[in-house]
């Protein structure tokens, strides 16, 4: 009985340590974004007549902004999988330190989103060079906005989207299928889980170019939708509904742009 009580205490302690750490990381990410992510927010509403000069420092700043944004938006919905990983790891090896491996798992997850952030920076640079973004990094083209909305909506309805969403919604299924021992295994599992989340949400992240990459309300709205899609029982139906709504909005925007 004493051993069971001790194990229960360790399980609870590990969950609390990891949960508290994730909460701090997410909170700091949101504070960074709310503070402007190192950008001059006074210029956010200005049109971009000429492309911004991209120095190595500015490119690095953009990468950090995107990566921190992904941390703020995606870690809350990944937290159940990370906490369940820590719990299972403690049950398997009570003498080890599963919280360390849980952070390895989280690190792998965030590395996958770092790769996405690099691609997003390149896309942002291309759109700026084409004169299609405002200083707030929002689309200035109704055609571009309509295409992004329509493409995001269609992707919501694809089998690939729902295959990835299945693993994001079901931590038990993911961990049972892809469990690997050790710190290296935790890192690889985190990378794989990040890949599924990326496959599930990458087109939703493209919607940031519609409302503005620096628009905190838009960022929070997408983050709340992602969490609802992954954590609520109606997530699959919500995904299809969002797909239809995005397609309708994209088609309407394109029609208005063509008529104007």
């Amino acid at each position: 009985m004493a051993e069971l009580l001790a194990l229960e205490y360790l399980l609870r302690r590990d969950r609390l340590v990891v949960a508290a750490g994730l909460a701090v990381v997410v909170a700091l990410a949101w504070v960074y974004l709310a503070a402007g992510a190192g950008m001059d927010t006074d210029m956010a509403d200005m049109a971009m007549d000429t492309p911004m000069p991209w120095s190595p420092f500015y490119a690095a700043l953009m990468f950090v902004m995107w990566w921190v944004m992904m941390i703020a938006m995606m870690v809350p919905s990944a937290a159940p999988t990370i906490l369940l990983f820590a719990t299972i790891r403690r049950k398997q090896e009570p003498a080890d330190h599963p919280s360390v491996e849980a952070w390895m798992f989280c690190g792998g997850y965030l590395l996958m989103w770092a790769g996405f952030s690099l691609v997003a920076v390149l896309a942002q640079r291309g759109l700026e060079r084409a004169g299609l973004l405002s200083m707030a990094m929002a689309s200035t083209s109704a055609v571009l906005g309509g295409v992004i909305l329509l493409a995001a909506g269609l992707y919501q309805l694809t089998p690939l989207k729902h295959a990835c969403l299945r693993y994001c919604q079901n931590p038990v299924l993911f961990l049972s299928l892809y469990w690997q021992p050790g710190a290296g295994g935790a890192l690889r599992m985190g990378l794989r889980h990040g890949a599924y989340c990326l496959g599930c949400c990458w087109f939703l992240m493209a919607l940031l170019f519609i409302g503005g990459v620096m628009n905190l309300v838009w960022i929070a709205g997408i983050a709340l939708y992602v969490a609802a899609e992954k954590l609520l029982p109606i997530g699959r139906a919500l995904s299809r509904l969002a797909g239809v709504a995005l397609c309708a909005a994209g088609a309407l925007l394109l029609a208005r742009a063509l008529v104007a």
Side-chain angles (χ1 to χ4, degrees), residues 108-110 112-113 174 189-199:
Y109 180 85
L110 295 181
M112 187 58 65
W113 282 103
F174 173 81
M189 290 171 66
L191 283 167
R192 185 184 289 270
H193 189 58
Y196 279 124
C197 283
L198 180 56

Side-chain angles (χ1 to χ4, degrees), residues 152-153 155-158 161-162 165 169 200 204 225 228-229 234-246:
Y155 185 75
Q156 287 288 107
L157 305 174
T158 63
K161 161 71 181 191
H162 291 286
L165 180 60
Q169 290 177 319
C200 179
L204 293 174
Y225 170 78
E229 190 179 75
I234 60 170
R236 192 172 293 272
L238 189 62
S239 176
R240 292 192 179 95
L241 180 62
V244 173
L246 288 170

Side-chain angles (χ1 to χ4, degrees), residues 10-260:
L10 290 172
L11 290 172
R12 188 181 301 113
R13 186 199 65 181
D14 285 327
R15 285 195 298 268
L16 288 174
V17 168
V18 175
L22 292 175
V24 169
V25 168
V26 172
L28 290 175
W30 280 106
V31 168
Y32 179 76
L33 294 176
M39 303 295 295
D40 185 359
T41 55
D42 292 336
M43 301 174 63
D45 294 328
M46 294 174 56
M48 200 176 288
D49 297 326
T50 58
M52 288 285 292
W54 276 62
S55 65
F57 174 78
Y58 184 77
L61 182 64
M62 289 298 97
F63 171 77
V64 171
M65 179 195 71
W66 273 99
W67 195 21
V68 171
M69 192 185 310
M70 294 304 103
I71 293 172
M73 297 175 73
M74 299 306 301
V75 169
S77 61
T81 303
I82 299 170
L83 294 175
L84 181 59
F85 170 87
T87 299
I88 296 173
R89 191 70 184 91
R90 170 62 74 183
K91 287 183 177 179
Q92 288 185 335
E93 298 291 342
D96 288 350
H97 300 284
S99 58
V100 174
E101 292 188 7
W103 284 111
M104 293 292 291
F105 184 102
C106 185
Y109 180 85
L110 295 181
L111 276 175
M112 187 58 65
W113 282 103
F116 169 82
S117 299
L118 179 59
V119 174
V121 170
L122 295 175
Q124 177 187 332
R125 174 57 174 153
L127 291 172
E128 283 189 9
R129 287 176 65 89
L132 297 174
L133 291 182
S134 69
M135 293 296 292
M137 288 167 272
S139 171
T140 57
S141 166
V143 173
L144 174 62
V147 168
I148 293 176
L149 286 168
L150 186 59
L154 290 174
Y155 185 75
Q156 287 288 107
L157 305 174
T158 63
L160 178 58
K161 161 71 181 191
H162 291 286
C164 293
L165 180 60
R166 177 170 174 247
Y167 290 106
C168 293
Q169 290 177 319
N170 195 333
V172 174
L173 175 64
F174 173 81
L175 294 175
S176 64
L177 288 177
Y178 299 113
W179 186 269
Q180 297 183 44
L187 180 64
R188 289 189 293 273
M189 290 171 66
L191 283 167
R192 185 184 289 270
H193 189 58
Y196 279 124
C197 283
L198 180 56
C200 179
C201 299
W202 73 279
F203 240 127
L204 293 174
M205 298 302 116
L207 296 177
L208 289 166
F209 288 118
I210 303 294
V213 176
M214 296 179 65
N215 186 331
L216 198 62
V217 175
W218 191 247
I219 296 169
I222 296 176
L224 287 173
Y225 170 78
V226 167
E229 190 179 75
K230 292 183 178 182
L231 302 179
L232 295 181
I234 60 170
R236 192 172 293 272
L238 189 62
S239 176
R240 292 192 179 95
L241 180 62
V244 173
L246 288 170
C247 285
L252 179 61
L253 193 58
L254 284 173
R256 292 177 61 182
L258 294 175
V259 172

